[in-house]
Amino acid sequence: DAKTTQPNSMESNEEEPVHLPCNHSTISGTDYIHWYRQLPSQGPEYVIHGLTSNVNNRMASLAIAEDRKSSTLILHRATLRDAAVYYCILRDRMEYGNKLVFGAGTILRVKS
Amino acid sequence: DGGITQSPKYLFRKEGQNVTLSCEQNLNHDAMYWYRQDPGQGLRLIYYSQIVNDFQKGDIAEGYSVSREKKESFPLTVTSAQKNPTAFYLCASSKGQGQSRNTGELFFGEGSRLTVL
C-alpha cells in the first residue's frame, strides 16, 4: 500500500491560514488523496478528497502537486475548533474502507 | 438525522469478562468497520463487513468477534482472550462497492472508550 508522510505536529494562530503538508512519493495513478480530521475524544470526520485537480469545499481546500507526490490541506482561517489530528490517506479507486490506513497524522494546535 | 451511533460511550470491564460494543447506522451503507485507537496513535482495523452476513478479519482481529445479521448493525465483542483491551473503539460505515456515488468516504461514530480494571 502507498504510504503518506506528515509532520507530527504544527501550530497556528487563530484567524490565520494553515497549510498542512503530506508527502506520498509512491502514489499510483489510481490513488485518491483523502483527508480526515479527528477532534479530541471523537471519531474522525471526512474533510476533503481529490485525484489530480485542486479541490475546494466549505471546510478546506486541497492543493495537489503536479506530479501528485505531495499535497497540502489548506484551512483558510484557523479557528480554535480546528484544533485536531489531521490524517492524509491514499485510497485506490478500486478499493474501499478496509484498505484505508490511518497513521499518526498531524496534530494541529491553534493559538488564540 | 442519518448517522452512526455507538454505545456505550464509556465502559469498564473486569479482567476475564467479555463485553459487547454496539454500532448502529441508518445511512443504508453496505460496509461497516471496527477500528481500535490507542493513545497518540492512528487507527488499526479490527474487522470489517462489506455486506450483511459476511465479515472479514482486519489487522488485529485476535481476541475480538463480530456479527452482521442486519445491515444496520455491526456489534463488536471484546473477549477475555484480548490481552490488552483498554482502548478507544471506533465504528465506521461506507457505501459498498455496488452502491452508487461511492466516493469511499468513511462515516465514523463517536467512539466507545473501554477500560479494563
Side-chain angles (χ1 to χ4, degrees):
Chain A
D1 292 336
K3 304 296 184 192
T4 64
T5 304
Q6 300 178 252
N8 291 335
S9 64
M10 291 185 64
E11 202 167 78
S12 171
N13 293 318
E14 201 175 8
E15 302 296 319
E16 291 185 358
V18 181
H19 290 230
L20 296 164
C22 181
N23 289 320
H24 27 78
S25 59
T26 60
I27 191 170
S28 74
T30 55
D31 282 335
Y32 283 85
I33 302 159
H34 284 244
W35 282 83
Y36 285 78
R37 73 177 186 181
Q38 185 176 20
L39 302 173
S41 297
Q42 294 188 27
E45 63 175 342
Y46 166 85
V47 178
I48 201 166
H49 79 279
L51 184 62
T52 56
S53 304
N54 294 345
V55 184
N56 300 295
N57 66 21
R58 64 175 179 82
M59 290 181 71
S61 295
L62 176 60
I64 301 172
E66 196 169 336
D67 64 3
R68 300 207 330 122
K69 293 185 176 183
S70 66
S71 61
T72 302
L73 180 70
I74 302 166
L75 307 180
H76 295 287
R77 290 179 61 194
T79 70
L80 296 178
R81 289 176 294 179
D82 291 321
V85 179
Y86 287 79
Y87 301 98
C88 170
I89 298 163
L90 299 182
R91 180 185 74 84
D92 186 279
R93 69 179 181 188
M94 298 303 294
E95 295 176 342
Y96 295 89
N98 53 297
K99 294 293 186 181
L100 296 188
V101 177
F102 285 79
T106 296
I107 299 171
L108 175 65
R109 298 183 177 90
V110 180
K111 299 184 295 182
S112 59
Chain B
D1 288 350
I4 296 187
T5 302
Q6 288 187 241
S7 63
K9 194 171 178 68
Y10 299 95
L11 184 61
F12 297 89
R13 185 195 100 172
K14 294 182 180 180
E15 283 192 22
Q17 288 182 334
N18 292 354
V19 293
T20 296
L21 307 179
S22 169
C23 179
E24 303 278 332
Q25 55 100 358
N26 60 4
L27 299 168
N28 196 38
H29 286 167
D30 280 344
M32 297 187 74
Y33 315 84
W34 274 105
Y35 293 89
R36 169 183 172 138
Q37 187 174 35
D38 293 288
Q41 300 193 22
L43 281 61
R44 291 185 289 168
L45 184 65
I46 303 172
Y47 268 99
Y48 64 98
S49 167
Q50 294 183 331
I51 202 161
V52 177
N53 293 321
D54 183 67
F55 50 83
Q56 306 294 329
K57 292 182 179 180
D59 301 318
I60 56 165
E62 186 176 350
Y64 300 97
S65 66
V66 293
S67 63
R68 186 84 188 278
E69 297 176 1
K70 297 187 300 181
K71 186 174 186 176
E72 302 79 19
S73 179
F74 191 39
L76 173 74
T77 297
V78 184
T79 75
S80 57
Q82 168 51 232
K83 296 179 181 178
N84 186 19
T86 294
F88 188 48
Y89 291 89
L90 288 158
C91 180
S93 73
S94 72
K95 287 186 177 181
Q97 293 183 17
Q99 292 184 290
S100 63
R101 298 183 183 178
N102 189 347
T103 64
E105 179 183 344
L106 287 176
F107 292 77
F108 284 86
E110 294 200 345
S112 293
R113 191 169 299 279
L114 172 62
T115 302
V116 173
L117 303 173

